[in-house]
Short mmCIF file of all heavy atoms in Angstrom, two decimals:
data_model
loop_
_atom_site.label_atom_id
_atom_site.label_comp_id
_atom_site.label_asym_id
_atom_site.label_seq_id
_atom_site.Cartn_x
_atom_site.Cartn_y
_atom_site.Cartn_z
N GLY A 4 110.48 91.60 131.60
CA GLY A 4 109.13 92.09 131.31
C GLY A 4 108.16 92.00 132.44
O GLY A 4 107.03 92.43 132.33
N ASP A 9 110.92 98.18 133.78
CA ASP A 9 112.17 97.60 133.25
C ASP A 9 112.21 97.46 131.74
O ASP A 9 113.26 97.25 131.18
CB ASP A 9 112.44 96.20 133.84
CG ASP A 9 112.91 96.28 135.29
OD1 ASP A 9 113.18 97.40 135.74
OD2 ASP A 9 112.96 95.22 135.93
N PHE A 16 106.90 110.66 126.59
CA PHE A 16 105.93 111.64 127.10
C PHE A 16 105.61 111.35 128.55
O PHE A 16 105.24 110.22 128.89
CB PHE A 16 104.65 111.61 126.26
CG PHE A 16 104.86 111.86 124.81
CD1 PHE A 16 104.81 110.84 123.88
CD2 PHE A 16 105.16 113.15 124.36
CE1 PHE A 16 105.02 111.10 122.54
CE2 PHE A 16 105.39 113.41 123.02
CZ PHE A 16 105.33 112.37 122.09
N GLU A 19 102.49 114.61 132.59
CA GLU A 19 102.11 116.03 132.36
C GLU A 19 102.02 116.37 130.89
O GLU A 19 101.11 117.05 130.46
CB GLU A 19 103.21 116.90 133.03
CG GLU A 19 102.79 118.37 133.12
CD GLU A 19 103.87 119.32 133.57
OE1 GLU A 19 104.98 118.81 133.94
OE2 GLU A 19 103.67 120.53 133.54
N ALA A 37 80.64 121.81 119.09
CA ALA A 37 79.58 122.48 119.80
C ALA A 37 78.25 122.25 119.07
O ALA A 37 78.17 122.40 117.86
CB ALA A 37 79.87 123.99 119.88
N CYS A 38 77.24 121.86 119.82
CA CYS A 38 75.86 121.65 119.30
C CYS A 38 75.74 120.47 118.31
O CYS A 38 74.69 120.36 117.67
CB CYS A 38 75.31 122.92 118.64
SG CYS A 38 75.35 124.35 119.69
N GLY A 45 85.48 104.95 120.78
CA GLY A 45 86.81 104.54 121.27
C GLY A 45 87.24 103.27 120.55
O GLY A 45 86.47 102.31 120.48
N ALA A 46 88.45 103.30 120.01
CA ALA A 46 88.98 102.11 119.34
C ALA A 46 89.67 101.22 120.40
O ALA A 46 90.69 101.61 120.96
CB ALA A 46 89.96 102.52 118.25
N ALA A 50 92.82 102.79 122.98
CA ALA A 50 92.37 104.18 123.15
C ALA A 50 91.67 104.41 124.50
O ALA A 50 91.34 105.54 124.82
CB ALA A 50 91.41 104.59 122.03
N LEU A 54 90.81 108.02 125.80
CA LEU A 54 89.38 108.37 125.66
C LEU A 54 88.80 108.93 126.95
O LEU A 54 88.11 109.96 126.92
CB LEU A 54 88.60 107.11 125.23
CG LEU A 54 87.10 107.28 125.09
CD1 LEU A 54 86.76 107.87 123.75
CD2 LEU A 54 86.36 105.97 125.27
N ASP A 71 86.17 97.46 118.04
CA ASP A 71 87.44 96.75 118.16
C ASP A 71 87.78 96.16 116.80
O ASP A 71 87.13 95.23 116.34
CB ASP A 71 87.33 95.63 119.23
CG ASP A 71 88.69 95.05 119.58
OD1 ASP A 71 89.73 95.45 118.95
OD2 ASP A 71 88.75 94.20 120.47
N LYS A 84 95.81 92.68 107.40
CA LYS A 84 94.41 92.28 107.22
C LYS A 84 93.61 92.83 108.40
O LYS A 84 94.05 92.73 109.55
CB LYS A 84 94.28 90.77 107.17
CG LYS A 84 94.72 90.21 105.85
CD LYS A 84 94.36 88.71 105.79
CE LYS A 84 95.33 87.96 104.88
NZ LYS A 84 96.19 87.04 105.58
N ILE A 85 92.40 93.30 108.09
CA ILE A 85 91.57 93.90 109.15
C ILE A 85 90.49 92.89 109.56
O ILE A 85 89.89 92.26 108.70
CB ILE A 85 90.87 95.18 108.61
CG1 ILE A 85 91.90 96.24 108.21
CG2 ILE A 85 89.89 95.69 109.63
CD1 ILE A 85 92.42 97.04 109.36
N LEU A 91 80.33 98.51 116.33
CA LEU A 91 79.64 99.59 117.03
C LEU A 91 78.28 99.10 117.46
O LEU A 91 77.70 98.22 116.79
CB LEU A 91 79.42 100.74 116.05
CG LEU A 91 80.62 101.44 115.48
CD1 LEU A 91 80.17 102.40 114.37
CD2 LEU A 91 81.33 102.21 116.57
N ALA A 93 75.99 101.68 118.11
CA ALA A 93 75.15 102.80 117.71
C ALA A 93 74.84 102.83 116.22
O ALA A 93 75.64 102.33 115.39
CB ALA A 93 75.83 104.11 118.08
N VAL A 107 98.02 106.26 115.14
CA VAL A 107 97.85 105.91 113.72
C VAL A 107 99.22 105.64 113.15
O VAL A 107 100.10 106.52 113.20
CB VAL A 107 97.10 106.99 112.93
CG1 VAL A 107 96.94 106.57 111.45
CG2 VAL A 107 95.73 107.29 113.54
N MET A 116 88.17 102.00 109.44
CA MET A 116 87.09 102.43 110.35
C MET A 116 86.36 103.63 109.77
O MET A 116 85.11 103.71 109.80
CB MET A 116 87.65 102.80 111.74
CG MET A 116 88.12 101.58 112.48
SD MET A 116 88.54 101.95 114.23
CE MET A 116 90.03 102.91 114.08
N LYS A 117 87.13 104.60 109.23
CA LYS A 117 86.50 105.81 108.67
C LYS A 117 85.59 105.43 107.49
O LYS A 117 84.47 105.89 107.39
CB LYS A 117 87.56 106.81 108.20
CG LYS A 117 88.10 107.70 109.31
CD LYS A 117 89.00 108.77 108.69
CE LYS A 117 89.04 110.02 109.53
NZ LYS A 117 89.81 111.10 108.92
N ASP A 118 86.11 104.61 106.56
CA ASP A 118 85.34 104.20 105.39
C ASP A 118 84.07 103.47 105.80
O ASP A 118 82.98 103.74 105.25
CB ASP A 118 86.19 103.29 104.47
CG ASP A 118 87.28 104.07 103.74
OD1 ASP A 118 87.29 105.30 103.81
OD2 ASP A 118 88.15 103.41 103.12
N MET A 119 84.22 102.57 106.77
CA MET A 119 83.06 101.77 107.21
C MET A 119 81.94 102.67 107.77
O MET A 119 80.78 102.49 107.48
CB MET A 119 83.55 100.78 108.28
CG MET A 119 82.53 99.81 108.75
SD MET A 119 83.28 98.72 110.00
CE MET A 119 82.50 99.40 111.45
N CYS A 130 88.75 111.82 113.10
CA CYS A 130 89.45 111.03 114.14
C CYS A 130 90.41 111.89 114.95
O CYS A 130 90.88 112.93 114.50
CB CYS A 130 90.18 109.85 113.49
SG CYS A 130 91.59 110.31 112.49
N GLU A 137 103.61 109.27 111.52
CA GLU A 137 103.45 109.67 110.11
C GLU A 137 104.44 109.01 109.17
O GLU A 137 104.12 108.71 108.02
CB GLU A 137 103.60 111.19 110.01
CG GLU A 137 102.63 111.84 109.12
CD GLU A 137 102.75 113.36 109.19
OE1 GLU A 137 103.82 113.90 109.53
OE2 GLU A 137 101.74 114.01 108.85
N ARG A 139 105.46 106.13 108.90
CA ARG A 139 105.12 104.78 108.42
C ARG A 139 103.81 104.75 107.65
O ARG A 139 103.34 103.63 107.29
CB ARG A 139 105.07 103.81 109.60
CG ARG A 139 106.45 103.34 109.99
CD ARG A 139 106.41 102.49 111.22
NE ARG A 139 105.34 101.50 111.25
CZ ARG A 139 105.44 100.25 110.80
NH1 ARG A 139 106.57 99.82 110.28
NH2 ARG A 139 104.42 99.44 110.91
N SER A 141 101.06 104.33 105.06
CA SER A 141 101.00 103.77 103.69
C SER A 141 99.57 103.98 103.11
O SER A 141 99.41 103.84 101.90
CB SER A 141 101.33 102.27 103.71
OG SER A 141 100.39 101.57 104.50
N ASP A 147 92.71 113.87 111.72
CA ASP A 147 92.17 115.22 111.87
C ASP A 147 92.70 115.95 113.10
O ASP A 147 92.92 117.17 113.07
CB ASP A 147 90.62 115.12 111.93
CG ASP A 147 90.07 114.38 110.73
OD1 ASP A 147 89.95 114.98 109.65
OD2 ASP A 147 89.81 113.15 110.85
N ILE A 175 104.37 107.41 128.45
CA ILE A 175 104.60 106.68 127.20
C ILE A 175 106.11 106.60 126.98
O ILE A 175 106.84 107.60 127.09
CB ILE A 175 103.93 107.41 126.00
CG1 ILE A 175 102.40 107.36 126.19
CG2 ILE A 175 104.32 106.74 124.68
CD1 ILE A 175 101.64 108.18 125.17
N ASN A 188 112.68 86.16 118.70
CA ASN A 188 113.55 84.98 118.62
C ASN A 188 112.92 83.72 119.20
O ASN A 188 113.51 82.65 119.18
CB ASN A 188 114.87 85.25 119.36
CG ASN A 188 115.66 86.34 118.63
OD1 ASN A 188 115.51 86.51 117.41
ND2 ASN A 188 116.51 87.06 119.35
#
Side-chain angles (χ1 to χ4, degrees):
D9 284 351
F16 301 107
E19 191 187 356
C38 305
L54 177 82
D71 192 356
K84 284 188 207 112
I85 298 278
L91 298 170
V107 180
M116 291 189 289
K117 276 188 153 184
D118 288 351
M119 185 180 106
C130 69
E137 222 173 24
R139 278 176 43 92
S141 63
D147 306 280
I175 294 172
N188 294 335

